[in-house]
Amino acid sequence: MPESILVVEDETLVRDLIVLNLEHMGYAVVATDSFAAGYRALLLESPSLAIVDIMLPDGDGFALTRKARDSGVLCPILMLTARSDAADKVRGLDCGADDYLTKPFDVTELLARVRALLRRQAGQKTPPVRYELGRFWVRLDTGQALTNEGELSLSDKELRLFTLFAKQEDRVLSRADILEEVWGMDAFPTDRTVDNFVLRLRKLFEEDSDSPQHFITLRGRGYSFRRVPHTG
Ligand code: CA
């Protein structure tokens, strides 16, 4: 089964260029030209990856990406922007996009980024929507969770951090990796922010937050998440 890629772009010439090149590389491509059609396809086609233009006739790519993430869409999203404004990049990543490319772009660069995002995705386990952790659980689509503090709703950042750990089980995640994945390129959060959020997850999901069995600190390297507590 070829990997499927959704393209959301209203400019015919740009869309055709992207579609032809992706098809040439062997991907199955679904092309749409509006916010509404793109959103429908994200939900119904479950693409492996989506390429989303910011300027669409009936909305913008930021809102589309956020809406898709809010609806539980986890596939990598690459945003296209006509502006090379750093603020746009931050905004795109904050909305839940994984990468962005400024128009006009070199098609070989687009293809390279698509491959990189798909590779990254392939290395990640797709967690089930209701993720069980010992006697606790988290709904990755809504953020509802059963925790030491009872049933509650995780904040957006807590949920994104939890989902990142769930996808990257047993891998080493540096604080920089976590900042980039959860906070985007925003300059304000610091390593300390990451530590505070991990402490929060431990309070919620560890039997004993002073002796964590799931959210493990690796000195000088970052964190690693283990679903099953390691014994001995
Ligand atoms: Ca456009």
Side-chain angles (χ1 to χ4, degrees), residues 175-232:
R175 289 178 176 78
D177 291 338
I178 295 172
L179 276 177
E180 196 184 327
E181 292 287 334
V182 177
W183 279 268
M185 300 308 285
D186 197 327
F188 299 112
T190 64
D191 286 0
R192 193 68 207 138
T193 312
V194 174
D195 295 341
N196 286 333
F197 271 79
V198 173
L199 285 178
R200 171 78 179 144
L201 291 185
R202 282 180 181 154
K203 283 214 161 55
L204 293 175
F205 299 110
E206 295 282 3
E207 294 293 342
D208 175 3
S209 61
D210 292 330
S211 150
Q213 299 294 305
H214 300 292
F215 302 90
I216 310 296
T217 302
L218 301 170
R219 278 189 67 163
R221 297 169 72 201
Y223 290 102
S224 182
F225 173 72
R226 296 167 182 170
R227 187 171 191 175
V228 179
H230 287 211
T231 48

Side-chain angles (χ1 to χ4, degrees), residues 8-11 53-57 103:
V8 189
E9 164 65 283
D10 58 311
E11 284 165 73
D53 186 41
I54 288 184
M55 303 288 278
L56 297 167
K103 293 183 192 174

Side-chain angles (χ1 to χ4, degrees), residues 7 14-23 51 80 105 110:
V7 179
V14 179
R15 188 177 63 241
D16 288 353
L17 173 76
I18 296 172
V19 170
L20 284 173
N21 278 279
L22 289 173
E23 286 180 344
I51 299 171
L80 298 179
F105 53 83
L110 175 80

